[in-house]
Amino acid sequence: MREDGVTQVGEGPRAAGSAAGPLGGLAAGDVLAERYRLEEHVNDDSAGRQVWRGVDIVLRRPVALVLRTPGGASAEEMLSAAVTASRVVHGNLIGVYDAIDEGERAYVIREWIDGTALRDLVADEGPFDAERTTSVLHAVADAVSALHASGMAHGNVHPGTVLVAADGRVVLADARVDSTTSNEADVRSLGALAYFMLTGHWPRAEADRVTALPDGRRDSTGALVAPRQVRAGVPTYLDDLVMDLLDPKLALPTAQVLTGELARLDTGDRMLFGGNGTLRFADETAPAEPAPRAATPRLLVVGGVALALVVSGLVLAVRALNADATDPPSARPSTNPAVAVSASAAPQPLALALAASQLRIVAPVGDRDNATQAANMIDGNPKTLWKTTGYKQSNMGNKKGIGILITLDKPQLVSSVTLQLSAPGASAALLGGSAGAPDSRTGDKSLVETFKPVAGSQSFGKDSGTTMVFSTDASTPYQYLLVWITDLPRDPSESQYPYRVGVQEIVVEVQ
C-alpha cells in the first residue's frame, strides 16, 4: 500500500476563483507562524496550491500544510471552508488545526494521514467488491452527514479526497465552499463515489482537471450504463442504489437517511484490505458497534413515514429512502406495526463451472470460425482464446454475425454473462431461448431466428470496451444463451482481412 499522506487532496472540480499563484521561496526547514516547520513538498493540487508535510514544533506532531498565494480576499473560500470544517469533529473527517492569512500567502494546517487516496487504491487493486464498497461509502456518508448537521456542505466528495489510512480508517478531506456547493450535490457525489469503487470509472463530467479519472461507461446514446453492465457480480440492490443516486430525475434522500441505511448494510468490520463476509441487513435493535447481526429487514420510520426496504428481496432504493411525508395516505407505505416485512438476504451471484461440451460456435451462414478453440473461453487463462477468422467488413458481410451458444445443465436464473475480449470495438447482444437446436447449419439458423434478447440485458455497440457484462433482471430462467456478435473491430496487424476479435474468457453467473 502506498503511503502518500496528503498527496491526494484537492482532486475534485476546481472551485470558482480558486486558482492560486506560484509559491516561490519556500524550502524544507522553513518555519511558518513561528510554529510549523516544512519538511517535504508533497505536491501541487488541482487548485494550484502547494501541499507540504510538516511538523508542529510546539505540539511535536506531524501535520499537513496547504498553502496558496496570494492570501486576503482570494483565499477567503479556502480559509472559510477550513474554519467551518474545524468545528466538526468526526472520525471520518480530516482534522483541521489552524487557518492563517498572512496577506501575501494563506495556509491551512491539518491532520497528516499516512495512507492512500481511494483514487489510487482502485487504480492499484481494481474495483471493489460489494462489501468493501459499502464499508467505504458508509464511512464517507457518515462524514458528510456530520457536516450537513453542522450546516455545512462539503462540496468536494471525490475519489481523490477520500483517503484510506494505513490502519484502515477512511477519511474525507478538502472541503470546498462556493456557489456550487450544496447538500444535494454531496449526496449525488456519494453515488458517483460508489460507482467509481464498483467500476473504476468516474461518472461525472469535470472541467479543468489535472488528474483525470476514466469517464463512466456509456451506451451508444451517451447514457451512463449501470455498474452491473460494466462488471459482473455487483448485487442488484447496490446497483439500484447507485443508479438512483445518480438519476437527476429522482429526488434524493438526506445524507443522514442514506447513512442510516448504509449502516444496516455495512457488516461493521471495516476490513478495507480484505474480504469481510456476506453483505446483509442488520437488526435495528442491535447496539451501535455489534458483531455482524441477524438479517432481519424491517420497516424503518423516518419523519413519521415507514420506508419499505424490501424491493426485489433486499434492494435499497432511493425512491423508498426519500418517501414524501406529504403523499396521500393511499400512496404511503403502511405504518401499522402489525405489518410484517420479511425477506431473505439477496443471494450472491454464483459463477458456473462450464465444460467444453456446453459451448458451441453458431454460424447460420459460412463456417463456424475456429470452432475447435471454443474451450479456450472457459479455461481460466486469458492468454488462450477463441478468435474469429478475419473479414473484409466489420459486419462480416453476408454472414451478418457469429455466435457462442452456452447450454446450461438446467434452466436457471441468470444474473450476468461476461465476455473478456482481445480488443475493444465489437458489437454484441445476449439472446436466450427455452430449447436447443441440432448441431448443424439448419439448427444454427433456427437458434438465431427464434432466440430473443434476454430480459434486462443491454446490447453493446462499436464504442464498447474489452469487457462486456450482459446483466439481466434474473426473473426468467434460461437454459440456452447465445452471445451474438454482429460487428468486429479492426486488427491493425492485418491488411487483407482486418476485422476480427477474440474472446479470452466467458463467465456465466446465476442466482
Side-chain angles (χ1 to χ4, degrees), residues 66-271:
V66 183
L67 304 98
R68 61 155 293 142
T69 186
S74 63
E76 184 176 348
E77 179 270 323
M78 181 183 81
L79 297 173
S80 176
V83 169
T84 306
S86 69
R87 299 172 183 153
V88 184
V89 178
H90 189 279
N92 299 116
L93 284 171
I94 202 162
V96 179
Y97 303 144
D98 208 346
I100 299 172
D101 185 358
E102 295 181 345
E104 64 177 352
R105 66 187 169 211
Y107 43 95
V108 173
I109 313 300
R110 60 189 178 190
E111 180 182 8
W112 172 266
I113 299 293
D114 282 327
T116 306
L118 182 64
R119 175 201 62 204
D120 297 325
L121 202 59
V122 171
D124 289 347
E125 301 180 11
F128 289 180
D129 60 18
E131 293 86 350
R132 201 175 182 189
T133 297
T134 303
S135 190
V136 174
L137 189 64
H138 178 202
V140 180
D142 204 10
V144 170
S145 178
L147 286 173
H148 290 186
S150 75
M152 176 187 179
H154 187 273
N156 195 20
V157 178
H158 184 272
T161 61
V162 175
L163 310 181
V164 181
D167 61 2
R169 176 185 168 207
V170 178
V171 182
L172 179 61
D174 198 34
R176 300 276 178 87
V177 176
D178 64 21
S179 60
T180 66
T181 302
S182 69
N183 291 4
E184 292 76 15
D186 283 350
V187 175
R188 196 78 72 190
S189 292
L190 289 170
L193 198 69
Y195 190 98
F196 174 77
M197 287 188 279
L198 291 169
T199 68
H201 294 263
W202 181 244
R204 308 197 70 175
E206 293 175 357
D208 299 323
R209 296 272 299 122
V210 173
T211 305
L213 294 172
D215 184 28
R217 292 286 299 278
R218 303 181 187 277
D219 62 21
S220 57
T221 68
L224 187 71
V225 302
R228 293 187 77 194
Q229 294 174 295
V230 179
R231 173 172 168 248
V234 177
T236 301
Y237 64 89
L238 193 54
D239 190 80
D240 287 346
L241 170 63
V242 171
M243 295 307 289
D244 280 353
L245 289 174
L246 293 175
D247 189 343
K249 298 187 295 296
L250 295 180
L252 291 170
T254 64
Q256 289 85 348
V257 169
L258 180 60
T259 300
E261 293 313 309
L262 288 169
R264 296 166 69 89
L265 290 169
D266 192 355
T267 61
D269 294 335
R270 298 287 173 88
M271 295 173 61

Side-chain angles (χ1 to χ4, degrees), residues 269-284:
D269 294 335
R270 298 287 173 88
M271 295 173 61
L272 302 182
F273 303 100
N276 54 352
T278 303
L279 196 62
R280 51 192 174 276
F281 270 126
D283 191 328
E284 63 187 2

